[in-house]
Amino acid sequence: QSALTQPPSASGSPGQSVTIPCTGTSSDVGGYNFVSWYQQHPGKAPKLMIYEVSKRPEGVPDRFSGSKSGNTASLTVSGLQAEDEADYYCSSYAGSNNWVFGGGTKLTVL
Amino acid sequence: QMQLVESGGGVVQPGGSLRLSCAASGFTFSSYGMHWVRQAPGKGLEWVAFIRSDGTDKYYADSVRGRFTISRDNSKNTLYLQLNSLRTDDTSVFYCARDWGWGFAIRGQGTLVTVSS
């Protein structure tokens, strides 16, 4: 159960767009359309932002979008706002009833 | 509105045991698979265990298999995690989560388990 690979940090100015990649293998990200993304503010619980690669739960702004190409999934935050500053984690189903997470990316709004 | 409230955490010595609970409300608990996810202090998220909606099948991360046991009581809308043979590296906040499109819908604040002598 190897972790997915995310950059430790990302940044953007208000109003800009930023994309966070999440790289796995053909056994997880590349093998299933079951990638999800989580936002976590300091001291708070993680919040599901994207599931099944690109679906948004009710209440998540459409500024947040997900995609996948091969073994790499991506989260794009458009029209950056100050409240988007948080840690973001990706996760993927990895087959055989196992799930793996990425190490997390700290998004800074400049 | 879906709610999940974790409880049962605390301080325990290495080798000790704890039982965590997660009280669910606002959705049909018996219709959904449930997970436990944990987060060590200052670290990332780690999937721990999954149980199917009817409790018949249970799955575990390699790091906890043989030490932790997930269970559920659908009549009480409650999910459990029995933690045995605890190690210092098990120190974490434990979150319960409803399966949501093969992801994790977390609604509570988690419960902190500290393993220390």
Side-chain angles (χ1 to χ4, degrees), chain B residues 63-79:
Chain B
S63 58
V64 308
R65 188 176 294 113
R67 301 188 300 121
F68 293 4
T69 302
I70 189 172
S71 63
R72 63 191 298 162
D73 186 336
N74 285 345
S75 69
K76 295 183 178 180
N77 290 344
T78 302
L79 176 72

Side-chain angles (χ1 to χ4, degrees), chain B residues 43-88:
Chain B
K43 302 297 184 182
L45 300 169
E46 180 186 16
W47 171 75
V48 173
F50 170 68
I51 185 169
R52 295 202 184 278
S53 59
D54 60 2
T56 53
D57 296 311
K58 308 170 185 181
Y59 305 95
Y60 301 93
D62 289 345
S63 58
V64 308
R65 188 176 294 113
R67 301 188 300 121
F68 293 4
T69 302
I70 189 172
S71 63
R72 63 191 298 162
D73 186 336
N74 285 345
S75 69
K76 295 183 178 180
N77 290 344
T78 302
L79 176 72
Y80 302 100
L81 187 68
Q82 177 69 39
L83 288 63
N84 295 332
S85 302
L86 282 161
R87 311 185 304 219
T88 54

